Amino acid sequence: MANQTTETVRLMIDGISISVPKGTLVIEAARQAGVMIPHFCYHPKLKPDANCRMCLVEIERVRKLQTSCSTVATEGMAVRTATTVVNDAHKSVLEFILANHPLDCPVCDQGGRCDLQDFSHQYTATSRFAETKRIFQKEYFSPLIETQMNRCVQCLRCVRYCDEVMDVKALAPIGRGTMTEIKSFGNHPLDCEFCGGCVQICPVGAITSRLSMYEYRPWMLKRADTICTFCGDGCQITVQTKDQELIEVNSAHSGGRNNGDLCARGYFGFHAASHPDRVTHPLIRRNGTLVEATWEEALLFVAEQTNRIKQAHGPQAFGGLISGRCTNEELYLFQKFMRLTIGTNNLDSSARYGHVNGVQAMRRVQGTHRWTVTFEDIVQADVLLLVGTNITEANPITGLKVKEAVKKQEATLLTIEALQPAVGTISNITNLSKQHLCVAPSQFGAAVLGLLKAVIEGDHVDPGIRQRASDYVSALSHAVRQIAWEDLAVSTGISSDSFAQMAASVVRGRRVVVLAGQILLRSQGGYGMCLNLLDLLLLSGKLTSPGCGFAPLAEENNDQGAVEMGAVAELLPGALDLTDQDSRDRMARAWKEELPLVPGGTLIEMVDRASAGIIKSLFVVGENPVGSLPSQIRAKEALSKLDLLVCQELFLTETAALAHVVLPAASAMEKAGTFTNTEGHAQAVRPAIDPVGDSRPDWEILSAFSVFLGAPLEYGEAKEILKEIRSVIPGYGSLGPSPIAPTADPSAIDRYVTEGYRHDVAIRYTLPPRAVRQEGTVQLGLVQSLFHSGKFSTHSKGLLQIEPSAFLQMNPVDAARFALGSGDRVRLSNNRGQFITTVKVLERVPEGLAWLPDHFAQEALRLFDCVIDPDTKVPSFRTATVSVLKAT
Amino acid sequence: MLKDKYQQEIDELLSRYPVKRSALIPLLYLAQRDEGFVSEGAMKEIAGLLHLTPPQVYETATFYTMINLKPVGKFHLQVCKSLMCALAGSDTVIGWVKTKLGIGPGETTTDGLFTLSAVECLAACGTAPMMQVNDDYYERLTEDTFDRILADLKKDGSCSLKTGPFMWPEPAPAKPGA
């Protein structure tokens, strides 16, 4: 709950008078006054523990020295940190710590950025201790994290971080007294979320990263603050390099939207960019095989072929696909290239896989293409509703915001997830729920309808909206009346009482944030569910209240940017409607050229048109439709028919393998630009290393194409494109530390509640079909894994050590039914085909469901049906019914 | 599995505390009573019962010297080595064990009868040096009484010199009216 107090207290610290909010700790007040009090166990993210005794200070009228990390500043307090008594105390504490701390700084990775080293210098502490030092038997700890417990100062920051911030609780202080060491469980290697938080928060070299062990001294490293590319959260990372070598990634405390916290992908996944399989030279297909060529040859080839096809078949014979991992500058230039240089609206990005569902729903109901809330609003919410997020795996840092809201601010967490509360090796958000409804992904829609029915029938509809839009309210009331509680109970397994209870919690909230995750967004009917969740906020009167809002979570780091840059067929930069004449005129004025009129084809439409021979040429930037789409879409066959397939890629993907020209693209580690995260916050991307081999940033390649095609879109550097973006799209003016969320547009809401809701209300307020699950089958779902993000991360040696291959996660009850145990091979089959993988039994998986991580699921894709959303054209292929058989 | 054998007792223990985690030590004792020590399997099961992670159970189990993480002999000699007993000669007591039984702290005699542990304060400082054998206290130890205790334990499995047991909370009083 947000308990922001403006009350302040005034105190003196070393003679400096300072006023701080009531409740501030003395150590923090001192920091604000510019006085650094030495400490080990204190960390602003953690509750005070006062175990290291390093931060002792003198407080007037208090007889003994006090730990400043656990003492709250009070009015009129006078604190002294620089007296002889305090200094002696600090010296003594250091002497105790150094009694056991080995002097192995020359071989310690922390050397040069070690708090203990710094304080030892500061106090010139010497030790009178002559006995043998404490020595721990060294045990193997984990594939990625190294422990050297002899160096531990027992501040327990790592243990507290693992519990308080991550909610993983994988570390514990083992033993007692001096002999306390940090361990996981017995002599088992650590199995956890591998967020790297313990490595980052350790004040000494007791916990370090094995990926960069013995490779550097901190002062040898060059640093670049940039943005992680592994999900939509947009975490700030500091990439540390030695020449061209990626050494380490960390995140400055309180830096970025992630506040210095990272997940396994961000912390250990950075090696993906420097994988030896990178495409480093342009390749041209000659006599059926891709052979190395120079940039000049490749660009000339593309230009000649493009001109030839354009002359023969016109601009509509072209299409373009771009990945949501590219920078805003590249996305912007890509759509400009396709629309102006080529002359077609046939272009799409990976936002089409799900993010478009959320964005289009927001545009339709509230007239924004961004969240009306920020991460801060999540932390300060008093009610959070999560629907189909799988937040720990899919958007781990947004997950941390939710955890913070629940654990520190006592928010009420309501969850509708395909998850069972269970303690496991990674955290489980439903363990923190006040109320959790465990629903299969195919029935999320039913659960949302149940909630809406409970809001309407429980008489919770906001009087304001009832008065303003009585037609809308009565239409929805009529619609939910058509749905029987009994049917809802059969679909979801949830009783009307549970829905009523959850609806009451939502309505009671003052700051309500609804988060919709990838499982929902990528499900069949995802668009309708987003609209219904927005209806829920509208009906309960929350949509326009401050601190309330709807927050669909982006999958790729720049899916949001892709939409905002107009890198989707139906939208122009600024997420303006392509069909809107005003918007078209505005863009035409800015570009000084007319825009193509013919509506563009989306991802699946382009594949179909390629298959039909209408599209002859495709420009693909970092996308992999052949590898990502299920085989019944026949992307491979369609793309094989093309006269010209140009791929800008990091690796020779399934799609690139079919290309006529493959151009080596620079990874995000090698280029400048901006990413827009899931909240709609644009952040700077900075190069950490030079482009690998002959690779170039995608925008440079696109710009070069345009020059060779005789219609130059020339820019000297990415910044020049950003300048153009700023002139075209409002809100890209400055890259501040936090986003300014737009407010819902009242006129858009009026349009929605008067007319806009009408045409599909009957369809949206219908229960999704119930699959009859036969004996011997499970509902297979594709899910995101915490340890990977698409195919890209499978090139990261760190992440491969945690999760090297595909596995099927299933519930113990189901596993017992099929006589399966963890590690057994299993054959999944349906009438489309079969797939063999390994089983992992996990309590968090609900009965009747089984999960497959999607980055290894390519072979399994053929088992899935693909349904295209009629409104947003989003292809959904996330669930399938399969028979399960133990494979021998 | 503890649950199969002690379902009722576990339910009773869990019902005692408003916060589930509080039942951790009683459950560890239960597991120890069952096997003589607390195994990894038992710790995992207890973690499941209390919605904790195994490291959280392990943390508590390793903190208290009363919880054995390895099998112990029939008689578990727990010699207090905290300050008061140390001043009164707990090192000497440990020396007697070494000469008479041939075991040091953490070791078990080959016949499986005795295990020696050096433990933290057992709150009998006024009667130091002292040791605990299984649940019984033996206080104001001298070499003579020590010999007698060993001999009696070997012979009868018990010794009249014992005081206590002090380690167990009294059983929960019957609820009034029940």
Side-chain angles (χ1 to χ4, degrees), chain A residues 416-428:
Chain A
I416 300 175
E417 298 274 351
L419 263 181
Q420 289 212 107
V423 178
T425 54
I426 66 173
S427 63
N428 181 338

Side-chain angles (χ1 to χ4, degrees), chain A residues 667-732:
Chain A
S667 79
M669 293 282 187
E670 299 144 36
K671 62 190 175 190
T674 55
F675 288 151
T676 304
N677 82 343
T678 186
E679 309 166 274
H681 184 45
Q683 306 182 89
V685 176
R686 299 184 183 89
I689 50 174
D690 296 330
V692 170
D694 278 351
S695 68
R696 301 306 305 161
D698 288 305
W699 69 264
E700 268 190 51
I701 304 175
L702 291 166
S703 182
F705 283 158
S706 70
V707 172
F708 274 72
L709 288 169
L713 305 170
E714 273 187 287
Y715 302 90
E717 52 179 344
K719 268 204 183 115
E720 288 179 19
I721 310 178
L722 182 62
K723 212 168 135 194
E724 183 174 323
I725 293 173
R726 282 177 176 157
S727 70
V728 177
I729 308 176
Y732 275 80

Side-chain angles (χ1 to χ4, degrees), chain A residues 168-170 172-176 183-188 423-424, chain B residues 40 43-44 51-56 58-59 62-65 120:
Chain A
V168 174
K169 305 172 187 119
I174 299 308
R176 62 192 298 163
K183 267 182 148 184
S184 183
F185 184 54
N187 53 9
H188 300 283
V423 178
Chain B
E40 275 191 5
M43 283 193 270
K44 277 189 189 162
H51 298 310
L52 299 173
T53 61
Q56 289 178 299
Y58 187 53
E59 161 184 0
T62 53
F63 184 84
Y64 293 102
T65 51
E120 299 299 336

